[in-house]
């Protein structure tokens, strides 16, 4: 498993992590087994949020990581409607309770909402001072949002920006990714396979490109896709896996390196397209 430096933190974090969006909708014991298998394979970056299953996903993560907290880079998120100064602190404390831990390695604002960024940041600073979070970042921030945030906090404060990023949705490469790289902010891509049924099949032209590259590496097309999405030092990805078998496939991308020709083939098969604003959740 490869590691990259995680933004403004001093942590080296696995490039392939574990997302937990909708993990609460499956069989709990199977989801817990998947998370634990991921930890065994070095996927120690676990991402969750108070929104996921209204806290149920956090509870599952807490059960899955019991006794192994020291291994994990644990991330959760505050909903924008809770992101006042006091609301941020209270939301984090609820998340810590559900996660059965005394701290988060990183805490994110899930997306922009009604509360001023200054208030959310003040909540983050209170949590940092009290040792309840070790770093903080944002999610679904476009360049204008990032500029505003930077004008408030300055350098070496923002750990990451978590955004939608998969082969058929590469619009962050126009401006968001360059901005983050200039400012030392990591980019964590969620939904790396797209929405259900969106991953290119083996009989499509783009799918055949992935399959051809995969065959040369004794890999799978999904592993090739993940390797492309973490090809730069600023990039991480957090695929969800609801079974140990699926998580094993994801982990197999952790040490897969694509050469320049292969990256160019994928780039041609999945063009960036026009710039679009990030989705507002």
């Amino acid at each position: 498993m490869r590691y990259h430096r995680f933004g403004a933190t001093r942590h080296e974090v696995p490039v392939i992590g574990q997302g937990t969006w909708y993990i609460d909708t499956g069989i709990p014991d199977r989801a817990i087994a998947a998370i634990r298998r991921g930890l065994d394979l070095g996927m120690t970056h676990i991402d969750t949020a108070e929104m996921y299953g209204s806290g149920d996903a956090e509870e599952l993560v807490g059960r899955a990581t019991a006794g192994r907290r020291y291994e994990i880079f644990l991330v959760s998120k505050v909903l924008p409607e809770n992101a006042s100064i006091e609301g941020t602190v209270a939301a984090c404390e609820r998340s810590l309770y559900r996660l059965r831990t005394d701290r988060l390695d990183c805490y994110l604002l899930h997306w922009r909402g009604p509360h001023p960024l200054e208030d959310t940041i003040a909540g983050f600073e209170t949590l940092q001072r009290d040792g309840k979070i070790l770093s903080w970042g944002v999610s679904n921030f476009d360049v204008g949002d990032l500029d505003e945030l930077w004008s408030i906090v300055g350098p070496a404060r923002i750990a990451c920006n978590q955004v939608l990023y998969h082969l058929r949705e590469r619009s962050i490469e126009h401006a968001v990714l360059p901005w983050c790289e200039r400012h030392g902010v990591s980019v964590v891509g969620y939904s790396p396979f797209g929405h259900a049924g969106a991953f290119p099949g083996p009989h499509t032209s783009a799918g055949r490109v992935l399959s051809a590259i995969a065959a040369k590496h004794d890999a799978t097309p999904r592993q090739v896709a993940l390797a492309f999405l973490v090809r730069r030092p600023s990039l991480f990805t957090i695929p969800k896996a609801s079974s140990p078998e699926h998580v094993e496939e994801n982990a197999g991308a952790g040490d897969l390196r694509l050469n320049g020709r292969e990256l160019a083939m994928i780039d041609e098969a999945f063009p960036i397209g026009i710039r679009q604003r990030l989705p507002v959740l």
Side-chain angles (χ1 to χ4, degrees):
M1 179 64 66
R2 282 181 291 141
Y3 289 72
H4 290 165
R5 180 66 60 87
F6 198 79
T9 76
R10 296 182 178 181
H11 291 279
E12 296 287 327
V13 174
V15 295
I16 311 293
Q18 300 190 67
T20 62
W21 195 7
Y22 292 120
I23 202 169
D24 56 289
T25 61
I27 301 170
D29 288 346
R30 193 162 176 79
I32 289 169
I35 292 171
R36 290 175 177 169
R37 182 59 179 148
L39 295 180
D40 294 340
L41 295 170
M43 298 170 68
T44 54
H45 173 189
I46 298 180
D47 178 90
T48 190
E50 66 170 338
M51 184 188 82
Y52 300 165
S54 299
D56 287 349
E58 289 181 324
E59 290 185 357
L60 278 174
V61 170
R63 291 170 58 191
T65 57
R68 303 184 68 170
R69 177 65 183 91
Y70 66 95
E71 301 176 43
I72 300 163
F73 188 87
L74 184 58
V75 181
S76 193
K77 310 178 195 72
V78 57
L79 280 164
E81 57 263 36
N82 293 336
S84 63
I85 299 175
E86 297 83 2
T88 297
V89 173
C92 182
E93 290 173 343
R94 291 192 297 269
S95 290
L96 292 174
Y97 177 80
R98 289 189 290 264
L99 288 161
R100 306 184 185 189
T101 186
D102 62 352
R103 70 198 183 282
L104 294 172
D105 294 286
C106 196
Y107 196 37
L108 311 183
L109 173 60
H110 212 148
W111 65 89
R112 290 293 300 268
H115 297 287
L117 288 177
E118 290 88 347
D119 288 0
T120 308
I121 294 163
F124 286 157
E125 290 174 340
T126 297
L127 291 165
Q128 273 190 300
R129 185 188 64 236
D130 294 342
K132 295 178 181 178
I133 67 172
L134 303 185
S135 64
W136 60 266
V138 293
S139 182
N140 300 298
F141 268 40
D142 213 333
V143 168
D145 304 313
L146 292 166
D147 281 336
E148 182 180 347
L149 182 63
W150 188 265
S151 71
I152 297 168
V153 303
R157 300 285 301 285
I158 309 164
C160 71
N161 184 21
Q162 187 180 120
V163 292
L164 177 66
Y165 189 41
H166 55 82
L167 291 180
R168 287 178 165 160
E169 179 46 78
R170 297 176 56 194
S171 60
I172 66 161
E173 295 180 32
H174 286 290
V176 171
L177 179 56
W179 189 100
C180 289
E181 290 183 332
R182 286 195 307 271
H183 294 85
V185 175
S186 288
V187 174
V188 180
Y190 65 79
S191 298
F193 302 126
H195 299 298
F199 192 77
H203 302 299
T204 65
S205 58
R208 285 192 290 271
V209 170
L210 296 179
S211 295
I213 295 171
K216 294 179 181 179
H217 292 273
D218 192 24
T220 68
R222 286 176 179 259
Q223 289 171 336
V224 171
L226 291 177
F228 182 84
L229 296 173
V230 297
R231 68 197 181 279
R232 292 156 74 152
S234 60
L235 291 171
F236 300 80
T237 191
I238 46 170
K240 187 202 79 169
S242 55
S243 72
E245 296 78 15
H246 190 184
V247 84
E248 288 171 2
E249 181 181 15
N250 292 341
D255 60 357
L256 175 58
R257 296 179 184 271
L258 305 176
N259 61 39
R261 181 174 178 275
E262 292 165 338
L263 293 173
M265 290 170 62
I266 296 171
D267 194 59
E268 182 177 357
F270 298 92
I272 296 175
I274 63 172
R275 182 183 176 187
Q276 299 177 341
R277 285 192 59 83
L278 292 181
V280 177
L281 300 183

